[in-house]
Amino acid sequence: SAVDQLREVYGLSDSTFLVISGMVTADSSEVVKININTADFRALVRHPYLERYEVQAILKYREIIGKITGTAVLVDNKILTGERARKIRPYLSFD
């Protein structure tokens, strides 16, 4: 869940997470998605779930192949790991 992303906060202990997780909600309708087919390097590299080398590979793939239809394509082509794709998927659009 989106609340579980709090576990990724550097220095946040498990005990603190357990205390605050019941008080936190996440509304995914408020997420502004990045269109992976039109975003430039800067827009993509700013996302904390994408590394510079992944962004470069995404842009190269897009240049060669064209439209990216989903994260599965990126996993199949070894651009993203399955775990990375799972994390980034809610933040991307493929229009």
Side-chain angles (χ1 to χ4, degrees), residues 79-90:
I79 295 170
L80 296 178
T81 65
E83 176 66 15
R84 180 81 69 184
R86 184 191 63 75
K87 282 182 165 185
I88 193 71
R89 187 178 299 119

Side-chain angles (χ1 to χ4, degrees), residues 54-92:
E54 292 167 326
V55 172
Q56 290 169 329
I58 288 167
L59 294 176
K60 185 55 113 174
Y61 180 86
R62 198 172 75 188
E63 178 185 319
I64 294 168
I65 302 300
K67 185 175 183 178
I68 298 169
T69 56
T71 54
V73 170
L74 300 174
V75 172
D76 291 347
N77 286 281
K78 310 266 188 274
I79 295 170
L80 296 178
T81 65
E83 176 66 15
R84 180 81 69 184
R86 184 191 63 75
K87 282 182 165 185
I88 193 71
R89 187 178 299 119
Y91 302 99
L92 299 176

Side-chain angles (χ1 to χ4, degrees), residues 14-89:
D14 286 341
S15 59
T16 302
F17 172 79
L18 291 173
V19 169
I20 67 171
S21 64
M23 297 180 246
V24 176
T25 60
D27 183 357
S28 62
S29 70
E30 297 293 321
V31 173
V32 176
K33 296 187 177 201
I34 300 168
N35 185 331
I36 200 163
N37 288 300
T38 59
D40 62 8
F41 178 84
R42 186 175 177 162
L44 291 170
V45 82
R46 290 178 58 203
H47 197 284
Y49 287 153
L50 289 175
E51 297 293 334
R52 182 180 203 85
Y53 71 91
E54 292 167 326
V55 172
Q56 290 169 329
I58 288 167
L59 294 176
K60 185 55 113 174
Y61 180 86
R62 198 172 75 188
E63 178 185 319
I64 294 168
I65 302 300
K67 185 175 183 178
I68 298 169
T69 56
T71 54
V73 170
L74 300 174
V75 172
D76 291 347
N77 286 281
K78 310 266 188 274
I79 295 170
L80 296 178
T81 65
E83 176 66 15
R84 180 81 69 184
R86 184 191 63 75
K87 282 182 165 185
I88 193 71
R89 187 178 299 119

